[in-house]
Amino acid sequence: MRIMLFGAAGQVGSDCLIALKTKAHEVIAVTRNQLDFADECAVVSYVEQCKPNVIINACAYTAVDKAESESDLADQINHKTVAALAKCCHVNGILLLHLSTDYVFDGHADTPYLEDSCVNPLSVYGKTKLQGEKAIEEHATQYIILRTSWVFGENGNNFVKTMLKLAKDRDQLSVVSDQSGRPTYAGHIVNVLLFFVEKYNKDGIIPYGIYHCSSSGETSWYEFAQAVFEQAYIAGVIAKKPQVSPIPSSAYPTPAPRPMYSTLDTSKLESTIGQALPSWREGLSRFMDAIV
């Protein structure tokens, strides 16, 4: 098959590109330097020119706090261009695999969110990603939307990298302890994307819709930071472990509000792929092995 990958230099996209290159598919990798995803006409024109069988959209405006002051740009990338892409995929019979986020929820729940749980995003980022989801549901027929959470990987910017950078300069750190969710290793997301690609290649059809895709295990940012430093120290990535103190979200205000609870229920996806998703701790171990 011919597969077009948007966001090929990003956190998930870069890992996806490496994985796809091991398969017998033609891959058209597209980065932000090659094509401006804010230009929906250029994006659609490029798709129609290349005629892919599958599009993996790992491109998004992900600067959560900055989106509060750049709402038009965030909406263009996360919603309007996605809508144009969905229409293009429908017209041309292209399978669209799209990444979304746990930020479509408000975090007021006390049990893991299901795919059909009530959505109520708190931030501009979450609202634009939700509008992108709705546009795909409205305009596309062959699509998979994967909602992910707390993504980390060897490429791009993420919480794990930030913690490791701070550990080199500080002996003490304060990390929010009252927000909980499921950290998700980029490689685990890639494995799910490849499952749907290969099933589509084999069967010509897959169970379309929205799926929750996060590594297993619920934790807080505070506990996640502790695990990062523990594994990094054991792996020799850092020479010392900083002391980590828990703080409430109120002590670390941000321009964009975060959902306090964003744990995703992944049972639908696990039933579809026929296996449990690996734990975030396993993903963190793979991360450390990769950067040593």
Side-chain angles (χ1 to χ4, degrees), residues 47-65:
V47 170
E48 292 177 338
Q49 174 188 335
C50 296
K51 296 179 172 58
N53 306 110
V54 177
I55 290 176
I56 299 174
N57 182 29
C59 180
Y61 184 109
T62 57
V64 177
D65 289 322

Side-chain angles (χ1 to χ4, degrees), residues 11-288:
Q11 188 162 221
V12 175
S14 55
D15 283 0
C16 193
L17 179 58
I18 293 171
L20 284 171
K21 285 183 176 179
T22 67
K23 307 295 181 180
H25 302 299
E26 178 185 353
V27 182
I28 304 167
V30 187
T31 68
R32 67 177 65 183
N33 293 329
Q34 295 170 305
L35 186 66
D36 182 5
F37 207 73
D39 186 343
E40 61 188 85
C41 293
V43 170
V44 169
S45 177
Y46 192 62
V47 170
E48 292 177 338
Q49 174 188 335
C50 296
K51 296 179 172 58
N53 306 110
V54 177
I55 290 176
I56 299 174
N57 182 29
C59 180
Y61 184 109
T62 57
V64 177
D65 289 322
K66 199 173 181 180
E68 296 296 310
S69 58
E70 292 188 346
S71 57
D72 288 345
L73 180 59
D75 186 64
Q76 181 62 53
I77 294 173
N78 292 344
H79 167 215
K80 292 179 180 177
T81 297
V82 170
L85 189 61
K87 294 175 185 177
C88 178
C89 287
H90 173 68
V91 171
N92 294 282
I94 301 168
L95 169 65
L96 176 59
L97 304 178
H98 177 77
L99 299 184
S100 192
T101 175
D102 57 326
Y103 278 54
V104 300
F105 299 112
D106 59 21
H108 295 161
D110 54 13
T111 56
Y113 284 100
L114 298 167
E115 284 80 0
D116 58 358
S117 294
C118 181
V119 289
N120 183 34
L122 303 175
S123 63
V124 168
Y125 167 69
K127 290 173 183 175
T128 59
K129 290 296 289 182
L130 178 59
Q131 289 304 308
E133 285 188 10
K134 290 182 176 179
I136 292 173
E137 291 183 292
E138 179 180 355
H139 299 297
T141 47
Q142 300 180 92
Y143 68 88
I144 297 290
I145 296 171
L146 295 181
R147 288 181 181 148
T148 66
S149 61
W150 299 22
V151 180
F152 68 96
E154 294 84 33
N155 299 288
N157 299 316
N158 55 64
F159 179 81
V160 176
K161 284 190 171 183
T162 299
M163 290 299 102
L164 293 179
K165 183 179 180 180
L166 292 174
K168 295 178 180 180
D169 302 322
R170 302 186 189 180
D171 295 322
Q172 295 183 334
L173 290 170
S174 296
V175 180
V176 169
S177 61
D178 56 359
Q179 295 176 24
S180 57
R182 291 174 68 164
T184 307
Y185 181 55
H188 295 162
I189 300 171
V190 170
N191 289 340
V192 173
L193 288 169
L194 290 182
F195 167 84
F196 284 116
V197 166
E198 295 304 327
K199 184 170 181 59
Y200 183 73
N201 185 42
K202 178 184 176 182
D203 301 336
I205 189 171
I206 52 178
Y208 306 118
I210 297 177
Y211 292 85
H212 286 172
C213 178
S214 57
S215 302
S216 64
E218 181 181 318
T219 190
S220 69
W221 290 115
Y222 166 69
E223 293 168 337
F224 190 21
Q226 289 182 307
V228 168
F229 296 138
E230 182 66 30
Q231 289 206 26
Y233 180 73
I234 293 172
V237 175
I238 57 175
K240 58 179 174 37
K241 292 184 290 183
Q243 180 180 343
V244 186
S245 300
I247 59 171
S249 298
S250 58
Y252 188 73
T254 56
R258 268 63 170 172
M260 300 297 287
Y261 179 86
S262 62
T263 300
L264 301 177
D265 186 310
T266 57
S267 55
K268 176 184 174 182
L269 177 62
E270 291 176 331
S271 176
T272 300
I273 66 176
Q275 63 183 49
L277 291 164
S279 72
W280 62 263
R281 291 183 183 276
E282 186 271 345
L284 186 58
S285 179
R286 286 176 56 184
F287 175 97
M288 295 300 171

